[in-house]
Amino acid sequence: MSVPFRLLPLDGAQSATRLDSLALCLLLLTGVVALGVLLLMIVFCVRYRAASTASREHPPAKGRLVEISWTVIPMLLFLVLYAWGAVDYVSLYRPDPAATPVFVVAKQWMWKAEHRNGRREVGQLHLPLGRPVRVVLTAQDVIHSFFVPAFRIKQDAVPGRYTSINFTPSRAGEYQLFCAEFCGTEHSTMTGKIVVMPPAEYAQWLAAGPRQPGMAARGFALFRSYGCSGCHAAGSSVHAPDLSNLLGRRVHLQDGRVLTADEAYVRDSILVPRKDIVAGYEPIMPSFAGQIGEEDLLAIIEYIRESGHDQPTERP
């Protein structure tokens, strides 16, 4: 059976199509510029070689229009490509509130994924076709890198940090998942499979998983078991920040900074509570470093994400 030649893997996400087009335009533009310079070098080398009788009298002293043209035109073209790349970069890495979050913990040598309803899988990741997805990553031991060639995406999974990447699967099928960071002796075995399914089949698959509490429900149980509710519950006598609708909210800090609460901020607030102290509150929260695992942290964060019922956009 003949296999059609492909310079690049089959594109399986909308981001892949755009990035392929960007790479092609960059290749063509740099190729044209390089070819033009090479041709001029050859022409000048031949025409003005030592034995040439070409006239060298009255060399042009001014060529401002030519100089401006060969400077400004390539610069504008490359700026267009820069802007194109910047837009694509932002769309990949800026958190998209409309995207469905999927949480992935990397460890030697496997990928452990958990969906919002609590369904878990190891070495596989099922995703809906045509729906934006946001993969939230962290690592349990060393640095790994979530790499799906068919989607043209790669994002590091770093211990102690949350990173994320957005994409929209555009073609149903199965795609290879690799770790692109040397993470130990069995790094080469740290592979996986991305399964893109039509939305109806995906919903059916999601609902058919083993019955277990969803991430938010499990996070709520952890929230209570670790005593977080004792300070952050609505009726608590402790003066602690309100966590409802926290994800995505702007937070004013004691040192004057203002940041947008994301997964990394919540994680740091749990493990390093004195790093970003909220304005108007005393730094009385103890650190939970070494007490809560990465998967439990993700569940607590998901509970906080789901616990918002009001719509304030800016609070201390």
Side-chain angles (χ1 to χ4, degrees), residues 8-17 20 147-153 170-171 174-178 194:
L8 295 172
L10 189 68
D11 57 325
Q14 293 178 5
S15 55
T17 306
D20 285 352
F147 177 40
V148 186
F151 294 173
R152 316 291 193 269
I153 60 169
S170 60
R171 196 189 300 269
E174 297 184 357
Y175 305 95
Q176 286 292 317
L177 165 64
F178 298 101
I194 305 290

Side-chain angles (χ1 to χ4, degrees), residues 136-138 158 160-164 263-264 267 294 297-298 301:
V136 181
L137 291 152
T138 190
V158 184
R161 286 183 56 188
Y162 287 137
T163 56
S164 65
E263 291 87 355
R267 183 185 189 281
E294 293 294 345
L297 280 170
L298 287 171
I301 291 170

Side-chain angles (χ1 to χ4, degrees), residues 213-246:
M215 285 192 71
R218 191 161 62 84
F220 176 61
L222 293 166
F223 190 79
R224 297 185 62 181
S225 67
Y226 282 108
C228 311
S229 57
C231 297
H232 293 283
S236 171
S237 60
V238 179
H239 186 53
D242 178 17
L243 302 185
S244 61
N245 210 23
L246 176 62

Side-chain angles (χ1 to χ4, degrees), residues 213-290:
M215 285 192 71
R218 191 161 62 84
F220 176 61
L222 293 166
F223 190 79
R224 297 185 62 181
S225 67
Y226 282 108
C228 311
S229 57
C231 297
H232 293 283
S236 171
S237 60
V238 179
H239 186 53
D242 178 17
L243 302 185
S244 61
N245 210 23
L246 176 62
L247 274 295
R249 187 204 306 168
R250 295 182 69 201
V251 179
H252 296 265
L253 303 181
Q254 199 174 70
D255 58 8
R257 289 178 294 143
V258 180
L259 51 77
T260 300
D262 55 9
E263 291 87 355
Y265 167 74
V266 178
R267 183 185 189 281
D268 288 347
S269 298
I270 296 172
L271 302 183
V272 195
R274 292 177 181 270
K275 178 182 177 184
D276 298 314
I277 301 172
V278 181
Y281 293 89
E282 294 296 323
I284 57 175
M285 178 170 164
S287 170
F288 285 81

Side-chain angles (χ1 to χ4, degrees), residues 204-220:
Q204 190 175 14
W205 173 87
L206 204 59
R211 289 189 176 277
Q212 58 185 359
M215 285 192 71
R218 191 161 62 84
F220 176 61

Side-chain angles (χ1 to χ4, degrees), residues 49-106:
R49 66 189 188 280
S52 171
T53 58
S55 174
R56 294 180 175 78
E57 297 179 352
H58 310 296
K62 293 183 180 179
R64 187 162 300 171
L65 181 61
V66 175
E67 292 177 3
I68 292 175
S69 298
W70 77 38
T71 302
V72 173
I73 292 176
M75 182 184 70
L76 291 177
L77 291 174
F78 278 108
L79 283 177
V80 168
L81 290 182
Y82 172 80
W84 183 355
V87 169
D88 283 349
Y89 180 87
V90 170
S91 68
L92 282 176
Y93 294 104
R94 186 174 61 185
D96 179 5
T100 301
V102 179
F103 305 92
V104 175
V105 177

